[in-house]
Amino acid sequence: MAQRTLQTLEEGWRFSREDKAQAAQPSFDDRKWQSVTVPHDWAIYGPFSFDNDKQHLAITQDGQKEAMEHAGRTGGLPFVGVGWYRRSLSLPSSLDDRRVQLRFDGAMSHARVYVNGQEAGYWPYGYNTFILDITHLVRPGDNTLAVRLENKHESSRWYPGAGLYRNVHLLITPQTHIAHWGTQIQTPQVSKDYARVEVRTALEGRSHLGSSHLTYEGKLLSPKGQEIASFRSEGIGQKALERDTIIRSSFGVDRPELWDIKQPHLYRHVALLYRDGQLIDSDTTSFGIRSIELRQHDGFYLNGRKIKFQGVCLHHDQGPLGAAVNVASMRRQIRTMQDMGANAIRTSHNMPAPEFVRLCDEMGMMVMAESFDSWAVPKVPNGYNLDFAQWHRRDLTNLIRQFRNSPSVVMWCIGNEVSEQWRDNGSKTQYTLQEICHREDPTRPVTNGMDAPLAVLKNGMAASLDVPGFNYRPHLYDTAHRVLPQGFILGSETASTLSSRGVYKFPVQRRAMAKYPDHQASSYDVEHCSWSNLPEDDWMRHEDHPWTMGEFIWTGIDYIGEPTPYYSDWPSHSSLFGAVDLAGIPKDRFYLYRSHWNKEETTLHILPHWTWPGREGEVTPIFVYTNYPEAELFINGKSQGRQRKDLSVRIAETEHSEAKNNFTRQRRYRLMWMQTKYEPGEVRVVAYDKSGKVAETKTLRTAGKPHSLKLSVDRSEIAADGRDIAFVRVSLVDKEGNLIPSDQRLVKFKVGGAGSFRAAASGNPASLDLFHLPQHHLFSGELTALVQSTKQAGKITLTVSAKGVRSATITLHSK
């Protein structure tokens, strides 16, 4: 008997932006349409324009009282409108006793799916995975699949992407089969010596069983792939199956290898279904053995160990790739966040791609899986609010069933700054959503990112949550803690500190919503949004109070859209919030977080750069981000003094504005020489350990004339699968190898061999360079080029050139 087959539909697609109803019909001639590979984001190719989704409204989340024009809020890319996709589906010569399904991991948005000219289904929410049964619409041999997608004007607060930006799968099973997402695995008993694993497997298609009998077998495989336990249930007839479609089994595991942060031990459960002794279906589910627990007045525990979240919020876009899913890019993002010391990611403000969660499972990164940015009350006129009433149950159920076996997912988040916070009935909606989570998965807590602490304390939203999540307003944590029954608070969104890589503003002052003619923010990391704060304002509370659970900073990496505070200052169209820029290059703030979060590695980082022609003799403060307690600064060999972090600084002593403006809190975590003056030459920092001994030395030098381009790559060997990507960092340096920190000249790319140029990005939030063209301007002397493999193994060469300097070539290999 034939078993299930799963095919990812990547190639063979045709695409058009023309909206023609007849495109759903098999007879439609699509030969003039563009040939594309899915995942595909039609809008990322531009062009950028002031008029793309120009919005006229008040951003109430940011405190705006009156409507104003916002350009670039959604990235300035042409995502609004209709797009069609078509391809052929080749099915087996016989479909007797077979069920045919399509799974869309995400389609942006309002997807209408047609098979052989008939509508197979509709799903409006572009971030969700949905499944359509098309058995009744297909026939053996060739079939026609068509998908119409539409993004409406004023439907998003950031760049959402467009098109079939996540994978599409064709699944063929027997009529009687293991249900999709039908295996649910829980580990109710976990210790280092013993764990109990409970499995529930749902079977479907009982009406097709007839007089046959089924046998179900479950096997448990260790992280090394060895079978360690099994279960068997025989003689399941039609009547028995009608009474109970759930097969329950339980396994004991001695000395389990626990899934943990950066220790991603993954077990597998293999479900096998036999019909009259012949295997007809099988399904494998990976999971981790680990425990999560909330303790009143204490917080979050993983495997019996108290954990404070060192989390980051991440949007779903992949910078120059747009919203199109790419595993190499996602892996790089997660790896970079781990290097910074992050232990958790919040998938703000939407449901994540399955590949992203799988990577977090495999890399040991905790996940807060988020669902909705809005409920029934709108933030934008054509947002999810239009679909919430009819679709929220289906959308939330799909999210949970898809990821409830993923050990990385430790919490569900049901909303973000929803407008129901200010309404008396807001807690009722929240209760409904939380109960859906509890029904589908009783093992994980539920939170909601709330930015109106006083309002949600009043209407009951904060008190009724498993985990009260507060976005910003850390000065209200103490007030909330005094009245909330849970006894703990999570910083579900924090900081919103602003900076541009390699850009420094003088004088160095703490400023909120500062705007400059160059559309940038200072990388001294002392600027933030009007509703937010600097990193240390959160650190002190999370470090000093045992009842705080940690934080998720806004954001780990820059994203397309929301160019706060440059709402209407075109060409600003990308965020400045990230600790890492849109090109994936760390900003100074990355090292500030790394110095506090990453206890496994040493950090010694100096800012700003030391090439300031025209600033000779002017005050140019020097900051050092380090996890060493003490350091001495030298300029051209002359000591500027030795400083030690002031661990005596406390919250209560620093609430007044004078302390904040004088960077009193920063003295606990940063070393700052505020009165140093610029003179060309050398800056040297000598760091000392706890015993006062020299531990590490680092030097910055004034750059000379631009001389050559320098290349470095994240991986020199990539897979020859047509999808893998190498990320090449391009730097302009002088003859001695010092970075030219202010150069923005145009760089050109040429790729030869078994690869192709995929995209480039500089991290400049106001750059209008198109990502996919083989040329891009430097920003602060650097950028990132993306080289993609083909399906042919071999050598790949990337040559980078620019006027007036030496070019550079790097060789990669695809295997």
Side-chain angles (χ1 to χ4, degrees), residues 164-185:
L164 294 177
Y165 72 109
R166 292 180 182 171
N167 279 304
V168 182
H169 311 274
L170 174 67
L171 176 65
I172 304 176
T173 66
Q175 285 286 1
T176 303
H177 62 278
I178 300 161
H180 198 82
W181 302 331
T183 299
Q184 182 175 10
I185 303 174

Side-chain angles (χ1 to χ4, degrees), residues 108-124:
M108 191 63 69
S109 58
H110 298 279
R112 291 196 181 274
V113 181
Y114 301 88
V115 176
N116 294 328
Q118 301 297 310
E119 185 167 334
Y122 168 70
W123 205 281

Side-chain angles (χ1 to χ4, degrees), residues 337-596:
M337 293 298 95
Q338 286 181 324
D339 182 40
M340 191 171 73
N343 61 19
I345 293 171
R346 176 191 179 207
T347 65
S348 49
H349 299 297
N350 45 259
M351 301 169 178
E355 291 86 353
F356 187 83
V357 175
R358 176 173 56 81
L359 285 170
C360 289
D361 287 344
E362 295 173 354
M363 298 174 71
M365 174 69 80
M366 294 188 295
V367 173
M368 178 202 293
E370 195 158 321
S371 52
F372 310 119
D373 182 52
S374 65
W375 297 345
V377 181
K379 292 181 180 178
V380 288
N382 295 312
Y384 188 70
N385 56 287
L386 299 177
D387 302 303
F388 179 81
Q390 185 176 355
W391 287 89
H392 70 269
R393 290 182 182 274
R394 281 174 283 185
D395 279 322
L396 191 53
T397 297
N398 275 16
L399 169 72
I400 297 168
R401 289 185 179 178
Q402 180 170 205
F403 298 127
R404 62 188 175 186
N405 296 318
S406 292
S408 64
V409 177
V410 297
M411 196 179 306
W412 306 112
C413 184
I414 54 177
N416 171 67
E417 299 178 3
V418 296
S419 300
E420 281 84 349
Q421 293 174 103
W422 288 273
R423 304 199 175 191
D424 291 339
N425 64 351
S427 59
K428 295 181 180 179
T429 303
Q430 178 179 271
Y431 181 83
T432 298
L433 296 172
Q434 183 168 251
E435 283 306 296
I436 294 173
C437 296
H438 289 167
R439 180 195 72 207
E440 296 294 331
D441 173 33
T443 71
R444 292 175 177 85
V446 179
T447 191
N448 183 12
M450 304 174 292
D451 66 336
L454 297 180
V456 297
L457 290 176
K458 181 180 179 181
N459 70 6
M461 289 180 72
S464 61
L465 277 167
D466 296 334
V467 177
F470 285 173
N471 289 8
Y472 312 106
R473 284 79 179 180
H475 60 281
L476 293 176
Y477 282 11
D478 293 298
T479 300
H481 177 246
R482 284 194 294 268
V483 300
L484 287 177
Q486 300 93 331
F488 47 71
I489 290 172
L490 173 66
S492 46
E493 186 172 316
T494 64
S496 276
T497 306
L498 304 169
S499 62
S500 301
R501 177 180 52 80
V503 176
Y504 305 91
K505 302 298 183 181
F506 304 97
V508 179
Q509 299 174 337
R510 180 168 183 161
R511 301 185 67 188
M513 305 298 277
K515 297 171 70 173
Y516 304 95
D518 62 359
H519 296 222
Q520 308 298 336
S522 178
S523 201
Y524 273 107
D525 303 319
V526 292
E527 298 179 358
H528 55 85
C529 296
S530 57
W531 64 85
S532 63
N533 46 264
L534 299 182
E536 292 85 355
D537 301 338
D538 295 299
W539 289 352
M540 291 179 68
R541 283 181 168 80
H542 295 297
E543 197 168 21
D544 293 351
H545 296 315
W547 45 266
T548 52
M549 296 175 66
E551 63 175 323
F552 289 81
I553 68 169
W554 192 262
T555 57
I557 302 173
D558 278 337
Y559 56 94
I560 304 173
E562 290 194 309
T564 311
Y566 299 101
Y567 296 108
S568 299
D569 297 275
W570 188 256
S572 292
H573 59 275
S574 294
S575 81
L576 297 90
F577 298 113
V580 173
D581 71 16
L582 201 68
I585 301 175
K587 303 179 187 178
D588 292 296
R589 190 156 23 102
F590 170 93
Y591 299 98
L592 178 61
Y593 278 100
R594 191 178 192 270
S595 70
H596 182 58

Side-chain angles (χ1 to χ4, degrees), residues 43 89 225 279 357 404 411 452 491 496 608 644 775 782:
L89 290 180
L279 182 66
V357 175
R404 62 188 175 186
M411 196 179 306
S496 276
R644 189 174 184 86
Q775 60 180 30
E782 295 188 289

Side-chain angles (χ1 to χ4, degrees), residues 41 77 124 158 230 260 331 422 667 711 747 751 782 806:
D41 179 353
L77 290 165
W158 55 82
S230 64
D260 212 320
R331 184 182 291 110
W422 288 273
R667 293 171 190 166
L711 308 181
V747 172
V751 177
E782 295 188 289
R806 290 185 180 180

